[in-house]
């Protein structure tokens, strides 16, 4: 993976928590920060996909693709979060088109 050096301001409390995590994992702070950012991006993408899906703006298939997870995993997450499955003829047509 190609990397880019960036700098940003971070609250001191968060910086100390990252240092503690690095010590607990016997790792370096930069590695822990990269892992946290990757996890945060994945979580944010899932959050956005769930929001768009629950608003009826995207299909289940599209929500799974945005979140970079399988269709089955997305269905499990919807169930866990109590989001109703919205699947009708329109969604079926869109999903079949996406499979082509």
């Amino acid at each position: 993976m190609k990397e880019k050096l960036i700098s940003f301001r971070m609250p001191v409390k968060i910086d100390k928590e990252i240092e503690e995590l690095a010590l607990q994992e016997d790792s370096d702070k930069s590695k822990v920060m990269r892992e946290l950012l990757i996890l945060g991006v994945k979580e944010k993408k899932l959050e956005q996909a769930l929001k768009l899906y629950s608003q009826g703006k995207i299909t289940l298939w599209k929500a799974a693709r945005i979140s970079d997870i399988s269709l089955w995993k997305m269905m499990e997450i919807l169930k866990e979060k109590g989001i109703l499955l919205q699947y009708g003829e329109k969604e079926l047509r869109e999903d079949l088109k996406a499979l082509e």
Side-chain angles (χ1 to χ4, degrees):
M1 178 184 341
K2 204 171 188 181
E3 293 183 358
K4 179 180 177 180
L5 180 63
I6 61 170
S7 63
F8 59 93
R9 296 186 187 279
M10 181 178 359
V12 174
K13 181 180 180 199
I14 299 296
D15 182 55
K16 288 183 180 192
E17 289 177 3
I18 291 170
E19 286 177 1
E20 288 176 24
L21 286 170
L23 283 172
Q24 291 170 2
E25 295 179 5
D26 194 27
S27 184
D28 63 276
K29 188 174 161 183
S30 294
K31 182 180 178 193
V32 171
M33 289 175 68
R34 280 190 301 274
E35 291 171 352
L36 290 170
L37 282 169
I38 290 167
L39 288 171
V41 167
K42 287 181 180 183
E43 184 63 30
K44 189 66 173 176
K45 286 169 63 175
L46 175 61
E47 178 185 305
Q48 289 177 338
L50 291 172
K51 180 180 177 184
L52 291 171
Y53 178 77
S54 65
Q55 293 173 343
K57 294 182 178 179
I58 60 173
T59 65
L60 180 63
W61 182 264
K62 180 76 173 179
R65 290 189 66 190
I66 289 171
S67 303
D68 198 26
I69 59 176
S70 73
L71 187 63
W72 308 117
K73 181 67 178 172
M74 178 57 75
M75 290 171 75
E76 287 176 16
I77 292 170
L78 290 174
K79 184 178 178 182
E80 289 170 6
K81 296 197 176 279
I83 299 172
L84 295 177
L85 190 61
Q86 305 167 17
Y87 206 82
E89 188 177 325
K90 176 187 170 203
E91 290 78 17
L92 177 60
R93 273 190 258 116
E94 289 180 18
D95 286 348
L96 289 172
K97 184 179 177 183
L99 286 172
E100 293 174 351

